[in-house]
Amino acid sequence: MHHEDLSTLPVAILGAGPVGLAAAAHLLERGLAPLILEAGPGVGANLASYRHVRLFSPWRYNVDKAARRLLEAHGWTAPDGEALPTAGELLDGYLAPLAAVPAIAGALRLGVRVGAISRAGIDKVRTRGRETAPFVIRAGGAGGTHDYLAQAVIDATGTWSTPNPLGANGLPALGEELLRERIAYGMPDVLGAARGRYAGKRVLVVGAGHSAAGTLLALAELAEAHPGMRLAWATRGSLMRVFGGGDADGLKARGQLGMRLKALRDAGRLEMHEHFLIHSLALRGGAIEVRGADGTIADIDEIVCAAGARPDLSLTRELRVRHDPWLESTDALAPLIDPNEHSCGTVRPHGHRELAHPERGYYAVGAKSYGRAPNFLLATGYEQVRSVVAALGGDLAQADDVQLDLPQTGVCNTRQAYQAPAPAAGCCAKPAATACCA
Ligand SMILES: Cc1cc2nc3c(=O)[nH]c(=O)nc-3n(C[C@H](O)[C@H](O)[C@H](O)COP(=O)(O)OP(=O)(O)OC[C@H]3O[C@@H](n4cnc5c(N)ncnc54)[C@H](O)[C@@H]3O)c2cc1C
């Protein structure tokens, strides 16, 4: 296939989460054709796994501008900008109507999981003719496996489908796979569908992020109805990061989460295991014993692993990609989001240039663009896809004009976000190149 054929092909969007669907809206505005491949049975499949969770950012940060214009042209009215939706409400009130807009519905393939991306007739090593060859996206579903052709690829597959394991070293803890049916990854609905699984049990929650905190609060509520229930919480570092922010957090709901947990701990309703480095799990008398470098947590019935997630890099094995060595984000983005340096969700505005890979025409956007770094925000992803789509449309002026209106987090630790309490100066005192409050 020759160069002139490329522009007749669609732009493939991998994943119909909030950022993938926003990319589709931006493509349509520029007269480019999207082809959206989604593994789940519906759009927003990851959000659907935690429908019950209330988001910490209000509606006004959660709706993409191009998507809003498209929806409003189809009679949609935006919800109250200051209200905090649950993940389910974001799905039902925004993503589902967006996916139903005919131009998007016609471009959407559900139940299609992408396994690999390459270029037509050209493997990773071959350079000649590379940039004019279409992308080939191999994806499978109930209808079999197909190769889809595209002029460019926007990879918005997120990270939620590939959670980090319990092992402190990033490998599954020894015994973790064997005990899989007693471990839930992510945010199970402990007050709803999963209530029976956790009621009355001794539950260990692992992780220091907002997902762990939210699950612990829900478990504490469940424990009020089941007095025999015991809760334990293990984190690799200290808990300053979760407790931080408070009233100073620009996202009020997120600040309150930390304060409520601190109260729970202070009331003695939480057994805490800070600096606990899990290496193995074993069964002892029918209960799980969790072994760490300096001790054990015994007599556990169920574990909730909320230790973050990682991007699935196997998709791009045949493409020329360049990632940060530890974050697995793009190189350019890494210094802005490294959790060793920052704990905030606020990064400098960035767009197609920071997201570009050596493989021209391939971009990872959304949660996947952050690799293993936490704190990705939807508003960041919406600005990313606005810039990337402008670049794909040849409008470099718009593509380079990146702007971002994000709330300050109030937990801007400069160093050792996992360990140290926030210094009084905050991270805004840092040089501009790495400032997270810029
Ligand atoms: C519990 C939780 C709460 C959050 N709260 C907020 C908040 O309040 N505010 C905020 O701004 N951000 C929040 N975030 C962060 C972030 O905005 C969300 O994770 C958001 O869903 C990221 O959107 P995305 O489109 O990049 O990825 P996702 O929503 O993860 O979507 C990825 C999509 O790709 C599909 N997919 C995955 N692999 C494949 C494949 N191989 N082939 C085809 N399809 C595939 C998935 O099924 C999914 O539909 C939260 C995150 C979590 C986990």
Side-chain angles (χ1 to χ4, degrees):
M1 200 175 269
H2 300 293
H3 183 69
E4 44 275 277
D5 298 321
L6 264 189
S7 63
T8 65
L9 293 171
V11 174
I13 296 171
L14 317 186
V19 179
L21 287 178
H26 284 277
L27 285 169
L28 289 169
E29 271 195 347
R30 288 189 175 271
L32 293 164
L35 169 68
I36 314 160
L37 306 175
E38 165 58 46
V43 299
N46 288 341
L47 289 165
S49 78
Y50 55 90
R51 292 188 74 93
H52 59 286
V53 174
R54 191 161 297 283
L55 301 186
F56 48 75
S57 62
W59 273 107
R60 71 190 166 101
Y61 292 117
N62 303 338
V63 174
D64 172 72
K65 292 194 180 76
R68 180 179 182 142
R69 289 189 286 269
L70 186 61
L71 277 164
E72 284 176 346
H74 288 79
W76 182 79
T77 314
D80 169 12
E82 298 310 317
L84 297 171
T86 60
E89 285 163 359
L90 187 74
L91 203 48
D92 300 339
Y94 168 59
L95 286 189
L98 182 57
V101 169
I104 293 195
L108 184 59
R109 308 285 178 273
L110 295 173
V112 174
R113 179 171 292 278
V114 175
I117 315 163
S118 188
R119 300 198 87 130
I122 293 186
D123 72 3
K124 190 173 192 166
V125 175
R126 191 169 155 186
T127 300
R128 197 158 165 227
R130 188 165 197 94
E131 291 193 356
T132 54
F135 284 92
V136 174
I137 297 132
R138 182 155 299 175
T145 299
H146 296 286
D147 281 349
Y148 297 87
L149 295 184
Q151 57 169 292
V153 176
I154 298 177
D155 181 349
T157 54
T159 59
W160 195 245
S161 336
T162 39
N164 286 330
L166 288 169
N169 59 8
L171 306 176
L174 291 168
E176 181 169 345
E177 269 140 31
L178 276 175
L179 288 167
R180 229 200 131 102
E181 64 194 42
R182 294 174 68 176
I183 307 167
Y185 296 85
M187 292 194 79
D189 189 4
V190 302
L191 289 170
R195 199 180 177 97
R197 180 170 175 176
Y198 297 102
K201 302 282 175 59
R202 179 168 151 95
V203 187
L204 170 68
V205 177
V206 178
H210 297 103
S211 304
T215 297
L216 275 161
L217 285 173
L219 284 167
E221 196 176 324
L222 187 61
E224 276 164 23
H226 299 270
M229 238 177 120
R230 286 176 297 159
L231 302 182
W233 186 9
T235 58
R236 283 185 307 185
S238 90
L239 291 168
M240 283 312 297
R241 184 160 153 261
V242 180
F243 293 156
D247 282 339
D249 199 317
L251 289 170
K252 210 169 161 216
R254 189 166 60 184
Q256 283 168 359
L257 195 67
M259 292 198 289
R260 280 161 63 198
L261 270 175
K262 193 166 179 298
L264 202 65
R265 181 193 64 173
D266 296 346
R269 293 173 58 206
L270 250 188
E271 177 187 315
M272 311 269 294
H273 298 271
E274 287 184 82
H275 306 290
F276 193 91
L277 307 179
I278 297 176
H279 66 69
S280 61
L281 309 180
L283 267 186
R284 194 171 277 262
I288 304 171
E289 185 170 276
V290 181
R291 296 172 182 159
D294 300 313
T296 58
I297 306 172
D299 208 18
I300 297 294
D301 298 316
E302 290 283 343
I303 299 175
V304 178
C305 178
R310 51 184 63 169
D312 182 357
L313 298 184
S314 68
L315 262 55
T316 49
R317 176 77 201 263
E318 215 48 44
L319 294 185
R320 296 181 174 184
V321 285
R322 183 180 289 137
H323 292 111
D324 178 71
W326 57 94
L327 290 185
E328 300 178 339
S329 66
T330 59
D331 253 358
L333 215 47
L336 306 175
I337 58 177
D338 190 341
N340 294 292
E341 300 291 332
H342 318 285
S343 70
C344 31
T346 319
V347 300
R348 201 175 66 201
H350 59 268
H352 72 110
R353 292 194 192 275
E354 291 82 357
L355 296 166
H357 281 277
E359 189 75 61
R360 204 180 150 94
Y362 169 81
Y363 298 91
V365 299
K368 187 168 188 173
S369 70
Y370 272 34
R372 296 180 182 222
N375 285 330
F376 173 79
L377 290 174
L378 288 168
T380 305
Y382 296 155
E383 181 61 3
Q384 289 178 338
V385 294
R386 190 201 59 75
S387 168
V388 163
V389 169
L392 289 174
D395 185 350
L396 279 185
Q398 281 295 312
D400 285 335
D401 183 21
V402 283
Q403 294 172 5
L404 200 51
D405 164 34
L406 279 180
Q408 296 291 330
T409 67
V411 284
C412 271
N413 306 1
T414 42
R415 293 180 315 154
Q416 300 291 310
Y418 289 128
Q419 268 97 40
C427 77
C428 301
K430 287 207 84 179
T434 54
C436 53
C437 299

